[in-house]
């Protein structure tokens, strides 16, 4: 019983510390959804072997999508004119980072990790995208017409009215409301189950494992990085949910660099998404995707440990200091709000789990596999023979 109480106490503490930052990240994600102009995607991501990749990698950094739900988003980019390298870059940078995960990294980890995470994601995405454009198919693809449908309520397709005319259809307040609904509905609904699972795992790690056990084997060095890489690649966990687990690992003696490997590899890869990637991008692109993630995660993990050692910093000592910027009552209110927003998607997920028909298949990705999403993705993505 004492162990259960300690697990709850540790998990609740992480929730209170991270809740204000999660809400901030969700709000920003909703604003991106409403105000991001699809014309910009076609204009900037469809041309250039290098510039399009850098722009796609940068675009993916703030968007909070998991490794499964990023696939439909990548299809949209492709349909809006993004080339293969830009699409690959977006597929890597988006699940590895996000405004919500960056904010939570600042709260639960420390400023170095909060900066290293998006920087590593950008570098890995850029390397993979450039490799795909340089060594991929030389066939020139005509950019598709951008999807200009209204993101607020679908009032028009963007073809039957000009952008100038459509700007008059919705007030700023209506756009903000639509963005908030998207953030706390679709975005939070996709990650909420995995976030609470991450909190529970983090609580178990801190409460049940001896402090020196993980530090003995994962305290730094190439061996630690490879172990975390092997653990992170096959599992499914979103960027936000992986953060409290990383915080618990560091608290138990795991080096910040090894934790960073988990933060990069876990959200960007899992068995389901890799299987779909082989189908939609081809074997060559999928191998590039996985290889770049593995190499970059280890390289940046070693680099982060070197930075901590050079500065004489201890990852455990810095852990969670940023969360102290908010008064305790803000953490309580934010945590309460998140719990309230979580009731509907969690109950829907539990109900769907127990009411599955015998003919329906299982899915490892919460909220992003309805209507057989992988099949829909493959139907719309051009097949790559390589």
């Amino acid at each position: 019983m004492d162990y259960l109480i300690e697990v709850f106490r540790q998990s609740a503490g992480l929730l209170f510390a991270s809740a204000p930052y999660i809400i901030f990240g969700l709000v920003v994600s909703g604003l991106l959804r409403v105000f991001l102009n699809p014309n910009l995607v076609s204009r900037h991501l469809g041309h250039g072997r290098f510039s399009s990749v850098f722009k796609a990698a940068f675009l993916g950094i703030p968007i909070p999508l998991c490794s499964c739900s990023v696939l439909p988003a990548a299809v949209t980019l492709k349909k809006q004119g993004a080339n293969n390298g830009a699409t690959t870059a977006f597929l890597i940078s988006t699940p590895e980072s996000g405004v919500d995960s960056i904010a939570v990294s600042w709260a639960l980890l420390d400023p170095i990790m909060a900066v290293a995470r998006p920087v590593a994601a950008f570098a890995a995405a850029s390397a993979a995208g450039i490799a795909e454009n340089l060594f991929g198919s030389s066939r020139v693809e005509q950019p598709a017409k951008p999807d200009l449908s209204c993101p607020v309520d679908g009032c028009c397709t963007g073809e039957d009215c000009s952008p100038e005319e459509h700007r008059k259809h919705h007030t700023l307040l209506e756009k903000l409301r639509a963005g908030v609904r998207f953030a706390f509905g679709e975005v939070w609904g996709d990650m909420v189950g995995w976030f609470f699972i991450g909190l529970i795992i983090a609580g178990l790690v801190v409460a049940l494992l001896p402090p020196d056990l993980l530090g003995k084997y994962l305290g730094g060095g190439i061996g630690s990085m490879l172990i975390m890489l092997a653990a992170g690649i096959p599992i499914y966990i979103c960027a936000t949910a992986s953060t409290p687990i990383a915080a618990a690992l560091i608290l138990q003696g795991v080096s910040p660099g090894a934790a960073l490997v988990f933060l990069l590899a876990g959200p960007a890869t899992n068995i389901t998404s890799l299987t779909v990637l082989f189908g939609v991008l081809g074997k060559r692109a999928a191998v590039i995707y996985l290889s770049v993630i593995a190499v970059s995660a280890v390289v940046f993990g070693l680099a982060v440990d070197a930075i901590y050692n050079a500065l004489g910093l201890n990852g455990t000592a810095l852990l969670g200091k940023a969360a102290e910027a908010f008064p305790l009552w803000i953490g309580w209110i934010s945590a309460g709000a998140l719990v309230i927003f979580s009731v509907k998607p969690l109950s829907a997920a539990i109900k769907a789990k127990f009411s599955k028909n015998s003919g329906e298949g299982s899915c490892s990705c919460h909220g992003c596999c309805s209507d057989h999403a992988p099949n829909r993705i493959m139907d719309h993505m051009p097949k790559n023979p390589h």
Side-chain angles (χ1 to χ4, degrees), residues 26-38 59 62-65 73 76 80 147-154 175 178-183 186-187:
L26 289 172
V27 171
V28 173
S29 72
L31 298 180
L32 287 173
R33 161 75 168 143
V34 174
F35 292 102
L36 182 63
N37 188 342
L59 173 66
I63 299 177
L65 294 176
T76 301
Q80 290 177 345
D147 180 8
L148 300 177
S149 57
C150 174
V152 177
D153 59 4
K175 293 179 180 179
V180 171
R181 284 196 302 269
F182 172 74
E186 186 172 335
V187 175

Side-chain angles (χ1 to χ4, degrees), residues 280-312:
V280 300
L281 290 180
K283 293 181 180 179
R284 182 204 62 253
V287 169
I288 291 175
Y289 177 94
L290 186 59
S291 299
V292 169
I293 289 175
V295 172
S296 63
V298 172
V299 169
F300 275 93
L302 293 172
V304 164
D305 276 352
I307 291 174
Y308 276 86
N309 292 333
L311 297 177

